[in-house]
Amino acid sequence: MIIAGTIEFGLHGYAGAQTSAIAVRAGVSQPNVYANFASKRELFLACIGELPLVVEELAPGGQLEEQHALLLFQAVAAVREPALSPELGELLRELRSSLGAARFSDALSGAAAILLR
C-alpha cells in the first residue's frame, strides 16, 4: 500500500488522492487500506516517512525516482494543511537536510516538470 500510496499521492496530492484508487492500485479492497491505516492522513504520512530511507539509498549525486520526487513535491504543497503541518514540516526539514538544499530544490523542480507534461 505504501507503493500505491506513493504513486497516487504523488500524482494527485493529499487532497486529490482517494483511498479507493490507492486500494485498486495496491490490488486490495478499500477496507483493507483502513485495516492498515486509520486514515488517509496516516497513510500519507507513512508514505512520506519512507522518503528518508529512499534518500539514504541514493548514490552520491543520485536523483530521486519519479514517484518519489512527485511525492516530495506534493508533500511540500501540503505542508500548510493544519492536519499535516507539524509532522510533515519536520519530515521535510529532515529530507532537505539529508539531500542538501540544491538536490532538494532540483527534486522539486524535476517533479514540477513531470506534473506539467
Side-chain angles (χ1 to χ4, degrees), residues 41 78-87:
R41 175 188 180 277
V79 75
R80 296 216 184 256
E81 291 278 332
L84 298 169
S85 170
E87 294 95 332

Side-chain angles (χ1 to χ4, degrees), residues 51-93:
L51 287 177
L53 301 173
V54 170
V55 168
E56 270 183 30
E57 294 175 2
L58 282 177
Q63 299 283 327
L64 288 174
E65 291 180 22
E66 186 173 295
Q67 72 268 17
H68 297 117
L70 288 171
L71 181 62
L72 177 60
F73 182 90
Q74 298 292 2
V76 169
V79 75
R80 296 216 184 256
E81 291 278 332
L84 298 169
S85 170
E87 294 95 332
L88 190 52
E90 182 60 32
L91 283 167
L92 288 171
R93 280 187 290 281

